[in-house]
Amino acid sequence: GGISVGEDGASHQCCEDFALMRSIPGMVVMSPADDVEAKAAVKAAYAHQGPVYLRFGRLAVPVLHEEESFRFEIGKGEVLRDGSDVAIIATGLMVAEAVEAAKTLAEAGISARVINICTIKPLDEELVVKAAKETGAIVTAENHNVTCGLGSVVSNCLAKNCPTVQEFVGVQDLFGQVGPQDFLMDEYGLRAANIVAAVKKAISRK
């Protein structure tokens, strides 16, 4: 999904799948952050009673979890890094970028919480609301159209429970194009640097 099948071009890329699959009643939608989470998500999908949509990328991404100790549950997110100034809520290949962004922000004196949301639907609303209340600023990061993706899911949650400043990092309502994944991530602003910029903008709006 997303731009991660870059060389095959727009006909093989799908930056609208979260939106499409979320609209199906009863559908669980998941986007793992690394291979450890991907394996766990497949097992959880097998055990789940009902339809599940699992989205994977093609290329390797950094491993963020220890396989021996990792515990996965559908509908539950996880805090990978704590922080008090802003919460970066990311999914899929953008989780590793969010971790790198948090490191850069720390050097600038900004404390960023990093939350990995594998399950887009159902969303871990309790975790999102807690982050919003404790940090006062949210940045979402996804390899998906910012329209109707993770950012929209989080925004809906915040509107209902805790209106909060939010910035969106993702594909800005564009179709894909041919190119290596690294090129496309630069082209569509899906890098740690883009998350850093969004965080600074969100904090300035608090």
Side-chain angles (χ1 to χ4, degrees):
I3 53 86
S4 62
V5 290
E7 289 86 346
D8 291 338
S11 63
H12 283 62
Q13 295 165 22
C14 188
C15 295
E16 307 82 30
D17 52 336
F18 292 164
L20 294 168
M21 301 310 292
R22 277 179 54 222
S23 67
I24 300 175
M27 181 68 70
V28 171
V29 180
M30 294 191 284
S31 179
D34 62 11
D35 73 318
V36 174
E37 189 167 50
K39 292 175 185 176
V42 168
K43 292 177 180 178
Y46 176 77
H48 179 72
Q49 296 298 313
V52 177
Y53 176 75
L54 274 164
R55 186 218 242 200
F56 302 104
R58 175 177 290 177
L59 300 183
V61 293
V63 177
L64 303 170
H65 301 97
E66 294 289 339
E67 191 160 8
E68 296 75 18
S69 58
F70 182 57
R71 296 291 178 269
F72 180 83
E73 183 180 347
I74 291 175
K76 293 295 182 182
E78 60 173 336
V79 177
L80 295 179
R81 184 183 178 110
D82 204 6
S84 57
D85 296 324
V86 64
I88 305 169
I89 302 176
T91 191
L93 64 80
M94 293 302 291
V95 177
E97 296 292 327
V99 171
E100 289 305 309
K103 294 176 183 177
T104 300
L105 289 163
E107 295 173 359
I110 298 173
S111 175
R113 183 176 308 183
V114 177
I115 296 175
N116 170 30
I117 292 290
C118 175
T119 312
I120 310 296
K121 180 187 177 184
L123 178 70
D124 190 342
E125 293 196 353
E126 181 179 354
L127 185 61
V128 169
V129 171
K130 183 175 187 289
K133 289 180 177 179
E134 292 178 353
T135 68
I138 300 291
V139 171
T140 51
E142 58 191 313
N143 171 24
H144 184 276
N145 194 333
V146 292
T147 302
C148 299
L150 172 66
S152 293
V153 178
V154 169
S155 182
N156 290 343
C157 171
L158 295 177
K160 291 187 298 181
N161 300 288
C162 182
T164 307
V165 168
Q166 182 178 350
E167 292 292 330
F168 302 74
V169 175
V171 178
Q172 300 295 319
D173 202 25
L174 298 166
F175 288 113
Q177 60 178 302
V178 175
Q181 177 174 299
D182 285 344
F183 164 77
L184 293 177
M185 289 184 72
D186 292 334
E187 184 78 1
Y188 290 104
L190 305 179
R191 289 296 192 186
N194 303 107
I195 298 174
V196 168
V199 163
K200 292 179 177 179
K201 184 176 180 180
I203 289 176
S204 74
R205 296 173 54 209
K206 289 173 70 172

